[in-house]
Amino acid sequence: MKDTLHGIFADTLNRLRDQGVLPANTTIDVRFEQPRQKDHGDLATNVALTLAKSAGMPPRELAHSITEALPDTPLIRKVEIAGPGFINIFVAPAAQFDVVKRIRREGEHYGRCGLGEGRRVLIEFVSANPTGPLHVGHGRGAAYGDTLGRVLTAAGYDVEREYYVNDSGRQMDILALSIWLRYLQACGQSLAFPNLAYQGDYIKQIAAQLRQSDGDAFIRTLDETHLKQLGADNETSLDALIKWMRDLLGNADYQTVLGTGRSRLLDDIRSDLEEFGVSFDRWLSEQSLRDSGALERTIKRLQQSGHTYEKDGALWFRSSDFGDEKDRVVVRESGMPTYFAPDIAYHLNKFDRGYDLMIDVLGADHHGYIPRVKASVQACGYESSRLHVKFVQFAVLYRGGKKISMSTRRGEFVTLRELREEVGADAARFFYVQRKPDQHLDFDLDLAKSQSNDNPVYYVQYAHARICSVFEQARDRGMEARVPDDAALEVLGEEHELDLAKLLTRYPDVVANAARNFDPHQIVYYLRELANGLHTYYNAHRFLESNIERRNARLALIDATRQVLFNGLSMIGVSSPSSM
RNA sequence: GCGCCCAUAGCUCAGUUGGAUAGAGCGUUGGCCUCCGAAGCCAAAGGUCAGAGGUUCGAAUCCUCUUGGGCGCGCCA
């Protein structure tokens, strides 16, 4: 319907241009929106306002010329000029319900569009270090990234999801050390556990598993000086301990300890995300970039770009050439690359793979890091504008009105798994996606759990279940519960019915807009509106009435509503129960 | 100190390429089940869109400044 109107207006404006009312170079771009107020019509456009200046006439006068030139169409009941020059269109009631047929025809495809034109998009998200289980902060990134993927897919993009595994470097050494020390403790050795090592109980579990699979293979004799360092609470001692461990274990045993921890934690992360409805097309390992030589090649490539120099024995990248506030070290004085180096390699790898669009979903604490990453890809000759970064703020949990304090370092944090077990995956996803990612999120556990009208998840799901229940009722009463395809929609026309149809019409725009702005939360707000539209209609009218024609028309309308509720809930990864 | 993000109803937040009288949920108050699911609906109350300038037909939205919060600024990751 909107498309048809769009065509009518475009034709009309083109005609006016040919007639010389509008200048020859005018670009015709008509947009319609649903006005907030009903007396402003069903759709309104501000073309007369936007074109007034170039046409050299007052907006209202131009609006008058446009409406005069509009052809007769059964679609439009009435056209009015209002305010400074808005053209308000009152659509014929019968045309409003065409959307019902379209939804019933398109089913799960209703809401999709060709906005993306098949462009390839890579979304990298979560990418939590495999040094522990995912916590609720990662959960938000997971929900956002996955939902964004679903939205972009619906909008016609070719989406790939990727998890970048930071499985090399010092943090993995600390992981190995933590596991090994717990292992030694489990083998009966009495030793202190460093505060800077990973504290969580999961480390003990991995150590126990190691002992079960490899017995006493990793027991080593300890010496006094290192035993003392276990109690020292500083990074230098930790590095000394790591070196000590690697010497004592030898490379093969060290790799076994590390590899066991790495794979165990990644398995845990993977299954956690699967249960959360999040899956990835690719898990790309940092270590693999080192092993394949990509890291070395990247450093060479950067040097060849002419944007590096040596200072104090280190290799610097002149990122300030590209707007970064200062230059960055890529290779340390010691010859070891900084953490920045593999990240450059990873991003070049992404660009090399030829995506039209790349989206990094990162924790908000990484924002200062982006200018140097963009600088590095630019230095290597790529358009950094193809890389978009969305920052996700941390979620703060509340229970009983009180903030739950968390500390990753102390191993005191609520895991994503615990959250799912407590409130359920549906509520968790709904609450996460409800907010714009760059806003702080107050996550009220009591509210997410409550099976009451306070809980927005149930509110939307209830609307879906309610419709299913109506059809159930119809069957029980021996009515024909299948809606005939030729249901006479023209018998509809109650105000609530028109409101609902308008809401249904909006859905594809909502999806397109969410995709355009990378803002999945718009889906959530829309679903609440749609659920409200259904509930209101439900309370005002009976569907299962004796007039068969009207009953079927109403069933067709609410079945279309059910479909859109389902499509929208699926889009955010939440289930659509038929009863609750 | 410099940079990025943010400030909308008592609380939590929508409001996106600048549009008409700024919306929703919660909370408060008052109504609605002999009737398809009351996990629902209806109504009322609640605002200097942090403040001050500017841009224009028109600003919560764009620009500048001020105030008040969050984060970042390492040869850590």
Side-chain angles (χ1 to χ4, degrees):
Chain A
M1 178 182 69
K2 207 167 174 178
D3 296 339
T4 317
L5 271 179
H6 198 274
I8 291 171
F9 269 76
D11 289 347
T12 305
L13 288 165
N14 278 321
R15 205 150 7 91
L16 288 173
R17 185 171 56 187
D18 295 343
Q19 290 166 6
V21 178
L22 293 168
N25 60 353
T26 310
T27 48
I28 307 292
D29 180 21
V30 195
R31 286 168 195 233
F32 297 99
E33 60 170 21
Q34 291 192 359
R36 195 172 281 120
Q37 285 169 259
K38 281 188 180 162
D39 54 332
H40 290 157
D42 302 306
L43 289 170
T45 178
N46 63 349
V47 269
L49 290 152
T50 56
L51 293 179
K53 194 166 270 181
S54 63
M57 55 199 291
R60 282 192 70 103
E61 197 177 313
L62 178 59
H64 190 71
S65 304
I66 295 170
T67 52
E68 282 297 299
L70 283 174
D72 281 336
T73 162
L75 211 57
I76 300 174
R77 179 165 61 86
K78 187 173 64 165
V79 171
E80 282 179 357
I81 298 166
F86 291 101
I87 300 174
N88 294 336
I89 300 153
F90 295 79
V91 177
Q96 304 265 37
F97 296 104
D98 286 348
V99 68
V100 172
K101 285 179 182 158
R102 181 176 164 198
I103 293 165
R104 292 169 50 75
R105 188 172 63 243
E106 297 183 10
E108 293 182 20
H109 293 269
Y110 180 68
R112 297 192 190 182
C113 67
L115 183 74
E117 297 173 318
R119 283 191 289 265
R120 294 179 62 213
V121 186
L122 180 73
I123 307 178
E124 182 218 327
F125 60 111
V126 188
S127 296
N129 299 336
T131 54
L134 298 177
H135 56 66
V136 292
H138 299 125
R140 190 174 183 191
Y144 173 73
D146 180 67
T147 305
L148 179 61
R150 292 175 197 234
V151 168
L152 291 178
T153 300
Y157 287 89
D158 180 7
V159 175
E160 286 179 41
R161 293 169 170 79
E162 187 161 289
Y163 188 121
Y164 179 57
V165 185
N166 287 104
D167 56 355
S168 69
R170 184 163 179 269
Q171 63 196 338
M172 295 306 283
D173 288 329
I174 299 174
L175 173 67
L177 179 69
S178 308
I179 294 168
W180 185 54
L181 292 174
R182 289 300 189 200
Y183 165 88
L184 293 178
Q185 286 178 333
C187 292
Q189 297 195 16
S190 155
L191 39 81
F193 193 79
N195 283 327
L196 294 177
Y198 295 115
Q199 302 290 329
D201 280 345
Y202 61 93
I203 297 288
K204 292 179 188 168
Q205 289 165 23
I206 296 168
Q209 181 192 330
L210 205 58
R211 196 174 171 216
Q212 199 169 16
S213 59
D214 294 73
D216 297 339
F218 310 115
I219 294 183
R220 297 292 186 276
T221 322
L222 310 172
D223 83 37
E224 282 301 320
T225 54
H226 289 111
L227 276 173
K228 264 186 216 149
Q229 282 181 310
L230 290 172
D233 196 5
N234 62 66
E235 304 285 353
T236 317
S237 301
L238 204 66
D239 285 333
L241 286 164
I242 287 167
K243 186 173 183 310
W244 170 61
M245 164 186 67
R246 296 188 71 148
D247 288 345
L248 282 177
L249 282 176
N251 193 52
D253 281 355
Y254 169 74
Q255 290 301 335
T256 305
V257 173
L258 179 60
T260 302
R262 175 191 183 278
S263 61
R264 167 86 183 249
L265 287 166
L266 275 179
D267 285 347
D268 177 69
I269 288 169
R270 197 189 317 258
S271 66
D272 196 7
L273 289 169
E274 288 282 344
E275 287 161 33
F276 197 43
V278 178
S279 59
F280 289 87
D281 299 294
R282 195 176 304 99
W283 296 68
L284 200 144
S285 137
E286 177 185 344
Q287 187 61 49
S288 75
L289 291 175
R290 293 173 189 262
D291 294 344
S292 70
L295 180 57
E296 278 176 49
R297 285 197 298 277
T298 296
I299 292 165
K300 283 210 185 81
R301 195 166 161 185
L302 209 55
Q303 284 177 299
Q304 281 161 5
S305 77
H307 295 284
T308 59
Y309 59 91
E310 295 200 17
K311 192 179 86 180
D312 305 332
L315 180 70
W316 293 70
F317 169 46
R318 203 187 305 276
S319 54
S320 59
D321 286 354
F322 303 93
D324 195 10
E325 50 190 31
K326 54 182 285 196
D327 296 340
R328 311 290 174 175
V329 173
V330 176
V331 182
R332 296 184 181 97
E333 191 181 356
S334 66
M336 290 282 287
T338 61
Y339 71 93
F340 181 33
D343 262 15
I344 301 172
Y346 176 44
H347 280 90
L348 289 182
N349 173 284
K350 287 185 187 178
F351 275 85
D352 287 343
R353 281 186 265 157
Y355 296 103
D356 298 299
L357 206 61
M358 286 147 281
I359 304 170
D360 286 6
V361 179
L362 299 175
D365 53 336
H366 286 77
H367 70 77
Y369 174 66
I370 293 313
R372 75 192 77 166
V373 173
K374 290 206 165 198
S376 69
V377 297
Q378 262 179 277
C380 293
Y382 285 121
E383 276 293 323
S384 66
S385 59
R386 277 155 61 197
L387 175 65
H388 293 251
V389 183
K390 294 297 286 185
F391 295 106
V392 179
Q393 292 279 351
F394 294 115
V396 181
L397 297 184
Y398 287 82
R399 192 198 304 279
K402 278 195 207 149
K403 187 173 169 176
I404 301 174
S405 67
M406 282 184 270
S407 154
T408 309
R409 177 140 258 179
R410 293 197 304 270
E412 294 168 6
F413 50 79
V414 179
T415 64
L416 174 60
R417 183 167 268 119
E418 286 163 352
L419 177 71
R420 284 194 293 105
E421 283 163 1
E422 180 164 349
V423 308
D426 279 349
R429 283 194 72 130
F430 195 99
F431 273 69
Y432 274 137
V433 177
Q434 189 169 222
R435 297 274 175 265
K436 280 192 286 198
D438 54 2
Q439 293 273 351
H440 291 276
L441 170 63
D442 290 331
F443 198 124
D444 186 335
L445 289 169
D446 302 316
L447 179 60
K449 266 190 303 190
S450 73
Q451 303 207 352
S452 75
N453 50 358
D454 301 348
N455 194 329
V457 190
Y458 289 102
Y459 182 76
V460 177
Q461 288 182 323
Y462 181 54
H464 184 271
R466 226 176 186 185
I467 296 169
C468 294
S469 174
V470 170
F471 280 89
E472 189 82 16
Q473 280 281 334
R475 271 187 289 276
D476 290 351
R477 295 195 203 168
M479 294 170 173
E480 175 60 66
R482 196 182 63 80
V483 183
D485 291 333
D486 58 349
L489 298 173
E490 60 272 13
V491 303
L492 298 174
E494 299 284 352
E495 192 171 1
H496 289 104
E497 293 167 341
L498 284 163
D499 290 346
L500 193 52
K502 278 192 221 174
L503 273 167
L504 294 172
T505 304
R506 255 179 58 202
Y507 181 62
D509 294 339
V510 171
V511 175
N513 213 32
R516 215 183 333 261
N517 301 300
F518 302 157
D519 269 343
H521 77 276
Q522 297 187 12
I523 308 287
V524 178
Y525 281 89
Y526 170 79
L527 284 172
R528 289 169 69 156
E529 276 188 74
L530 182 58
N532 177 251
L534 184 277
H535 290 311
T536 302
Y537 181 34
Y538 185 97
N539 277 287
H541 298 282
R542 293 187 61 77
F543 311 140
L544 299 178
E545 57 161 274
S546 51
N547 180 322
I548 294 174
E549 208 173 38
R550 196 154 58 207
R551 182 208 303 160
N552 282 341
R554 287 181 169 173
L555 287 176
L557 177 59
I558 65 169
D559 187 55
T561 305
R562 186 202 54 73
Q563 181 72 60
V564 177
L565 285 167
F566 174 86
N567 292 4
L569 283 168
S570 303
M571 187 89 63
I572 59 173
V574 174
S575 68
S576 301
S578 52
S579 69
M580 337 179 19

